[in-house]
């Protein structure tokens, strides 16, 4: 299986890996976004968001800061409904607002998810190949190193875009106004101001990626050996992705809770000009949460996070593996032609 996996990577080009990851991101967003739209509506019903404030919207693939009632953001936040549960909300939203409403958060998801996912997955495969040639193909630390570095790179590249998008969401700005806004911020606070909130994202996403890829490669190899498969089937990739995503999600949940706190505080500081509270460092926020709610406060929302992350990881990786397998066989056929 390992030899087959290596040959697959050798046969797929960077462009083909980028196309496979792009397709994976689109399919994952299409399938998982409705789940979080329903979750957000149920959350709004039980605990209405304060007017003019924000909340974090996440579909398992990407996180977004969303304004409660402002401009186009009303697509996410509706007035509290009368839903009895998930299935009831699903049926009523379709009946009252139409089926399109279940994908109301899709455009900004795709705008941010596509570049992030393409950079992340393509870098992972390229780094894995480079490390295998140096450390040996059976080195078990390769997924950890490749996963960490690729996630670090993608978070760093996309972080300024997230900050800019947050501003655009609150106030409808032309590109000229946006350029003036960003350039004045850089002139005042320096270039590093565009990466505010980067540290908490890295603290959550880099350990997540390291654990995810390490467990995914192990589960995949184990399952292939168990069933005697030379290469991972769709089911093997799907199951391995769900299991490894769940493990990584549980372990990194405290950093996800801190990230949510910091994201909302950053949004209020950037757009509503509300001064940020004293506790701005990741560890300070963590201590504050523990002091207020105990250790369990750091694991708040574990069930909703698992419901989003497990299917998102499973759909994304299985689609990506299928895409690479498709291109690998296509290249093989092309090479066999006289």
């Amino acid at each position: 299986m390992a030899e087959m996996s290596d040959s697959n990577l050798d046969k797929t080009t960077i462009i083909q890996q980028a196309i496979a990851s792009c397709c994976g991101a689109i399919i994952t967003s299409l399938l998982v976004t409705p789940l979080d739209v329903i979750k957000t509506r149920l959350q709004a019903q039980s605990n209405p968001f304060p007017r003019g404030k924000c909340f974090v919207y996440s579909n398992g693939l990407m996180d977004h800061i969303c304004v409660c009632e402002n401009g186009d953001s009303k697509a996410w936040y509706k007035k509290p409904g009368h839903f009895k549960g998930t299935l009831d909300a699903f049926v009523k939203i379709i009946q009252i607002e139409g089926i399109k409403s279940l994908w109301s958060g899709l455009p900004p998801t795709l705008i941010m998810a596509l570049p992030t996912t393409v950079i992340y997955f393509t870098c992972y495969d390229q780094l894995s190949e480079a490390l295998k040639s140096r450390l040996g193909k059976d080195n078990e630390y390769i997924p950890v190193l490749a996963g960490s570095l690729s996630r670090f790179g993608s978070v760093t590249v996309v972080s300024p875009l997230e900050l800019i998008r947050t501003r655009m969401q609150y106030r409808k700005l032309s590109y000229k106004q946006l350029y003036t806004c960003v350039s004045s911020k850089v002139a005042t606070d320096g270039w590093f101001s565009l990466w505010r909130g980067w540290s908490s994202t890295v603290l959550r996403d880099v350990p997540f990626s390291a654990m995810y890829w390490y467990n995914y490669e192990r589960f995949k190899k184990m399952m292939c050996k168990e069933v005697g498969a030379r290469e991972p089937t769709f089911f093997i990739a799907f199951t391995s992705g769900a299991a490894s995503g769940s493990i990584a999600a549980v372990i990194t949940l405290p950093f996800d809770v801190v990230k949510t706190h910091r994201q909302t505080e950053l949004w209020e500081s950037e757009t509503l000009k509300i001064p940020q509270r004293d506790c701005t460092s990741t560890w300070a926020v963590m201590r504050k949460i523990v002091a207020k709610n105990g250790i369990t406060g750091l694991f708040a929302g574990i069930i909703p996070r698992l419901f989003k992350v497990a299917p998102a990881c499973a759909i994304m990786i299985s689609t990506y593996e299928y895409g690479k397998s498709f291109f690998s066989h296509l290249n093989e056929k092309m090479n066999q032609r006289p």
Side-chain angles (χ1 to χ4, degrees):
M1 196 287 298
E3 287 84 7
M4 191 66 179
S5 179
D6 293 339
S7 65
N8 280 348
L9 285 174
D10 289 336
K11 289 174 185 174
T12 53
T13 64
I14 295 178
I15 300 296
Q16 288 171 338
Q17 288 166 5
I19 292 168
S21 59
C22 192
C23 291
I26 292 168
I27 291 167
T28 305
S29 297
L30 284 169
L31 294 176
V32 182
T33 295
L35 296 175
D36 213 69
V37 168
I38 290 167
K39 185 196 74 68
T40 303
R41 297 294 185 84
L42 290 168
Q43 187 184 350
Q45 177 177 274
S46 60
N47 183 25
F49 303 111
R51 188 181 177 85
K53 296 278 185 175
C54 66
F55 63 99
V56 177
Y57 168 96
S58 170
N59 67 351
L61 197 63
M62 292 291 294
D63 293 343
H64 305 287
I65 290 289
C66 301
V67 189
C68 288
E69 290 194 43
N70 187 78
D72 294 335
S73 302
K74 286 183 182 178
W76 276 289
Y77 177 80
K78 301 281 182 180
K79 287 179 182 177
H82 300 284
F83 307 127
K84 294 172 186 173
T86 303
L87 187 63
D88 185 55
F90 181 79
V91 172
K92 283 181 179 174
I93 288 168
I94 293 173
Q95 284 178 341
I96 299 164
E97 302 168 39
I99 198 162
K100 280 185 182 178
S101 190
L102 290 173
W103 285 272
S104 55
L106 191 60
T109 297
L110 292 178
I111 289 166
M112 295 301 296
L114 291 183
T116 310
T117 309
V118 169
I119 294 166
Y120 178 38
F121 279 81
T122 308
C123 281
Y124 175 78
D125 272 341
Q126 294 299 311
L127 283 166
S128 292
E129 283 304 293
L131 289 166
K132 278 174 188 174
S133 63
R134 287 178 176 272
L135 305 174
K137 63 183 180 183
D138 295 322
N139 192 303
E140 61 181 11
Y141 294 110
I142 288 172
V144 176
L145 289 168
S148 300
L149 290 169
S150 56
R151 194 62 183 177
F152 182 89
S154 63
V155 166
T156 304
V157 169
V158 176
S159 194
L161 296 177
E162 181 69 24
L163 192 70
I164 289 165
R165 191 188 61 77
T166 301
R167 286 197 164 198
M168 286 188 80
Q169 190 183 0
Y170 180 64
R171 292 174 294 184
K172 285 189 175 179
L173 301 173
S174 65
Y175 288 109
K176 190 177 179 181
Q177 288 172 320
L178 183 66
Y179 174 78
T180 307
C181 181
V182 172
S183 57
S184 64
K185 181 171 176 57
V186 169
T188 309
D189 303 321
W191 282 101
F192 286 112
S193 62
L194 296 179
W195 277 268
R196 285 186 69 185
W198 170 86
S199 60
S200 55
T201 308
V202 165
L203 276 170
R204 181 194 65 177
D205 289 2
V206 170
F208 180 96
S209 294
M211 282 181 278
Y212 171 77
W213 286 109
Y214 177 76
N215 286 316
Y216 173 72
E217 297 293 353
R218 285 191 69 188
F219 290 151
K220 183 174 76 171
K221 201 174 285 188
M222 228 162 45
M223 289 181 76
C224 282
K225 195 176 178 181
E226 194 71 31
V227 299
R230 293 179 66 199
E231 61 178 2
T233 61
F234 186 87
F235 176 76
I236 288 172
F238 189 93
T239 309
S240 301
S244 52
S246 299
I247 292 166
V250 171
I251 295 170
T252 59
L253 187 63
F255 293 111
D256 186 57
V257 172
V258 172
K259 172 78 163 51
T260 302
H261 276 260
R262 292 200 68 193
Q263 269 187 308
T264 50
E265 282 184 16
L266 178 63
W267 183 87
E268 288 171 0
S269 171
E270 290 292 327
T271 55
L272 297 181
K273 304 302 177 190
I274 296 171
Q276 276 198 290
R277 293 149 206 165
D278 297 332
C279 297
T280 53
S281 78
T282 300
W283 303 113
V285 173
M286 206 172 268
R287 283 197 300 270
K288 188 180 174 183
I289 292 167
V290 171
K292 190 178 178 182
N293 304 313
I295 293 291
T296 53
L298 293 174
F299 291 89
I302 190 166
I303 302 300
R305 180 154 162 79
L306 281 175
F307 271 120
K308 288 181 290 185
V309 173
C313 286
I315 296 163
M316 181 66 220
I317 196 65
S318 52
T319 310
Y320 180 60
E321 291 278 19
Y322 181 83
K324 284 199 299 176
S325 179
F326 169 80
F327 282 120
S328 176
H329 290 116
L330 185 69
N331 293 346
E332 203 174 342
K333 284 180 184 176
M334 296 290 283
N335 292 332
Q336 285 172 355
R337 284 184 182 178

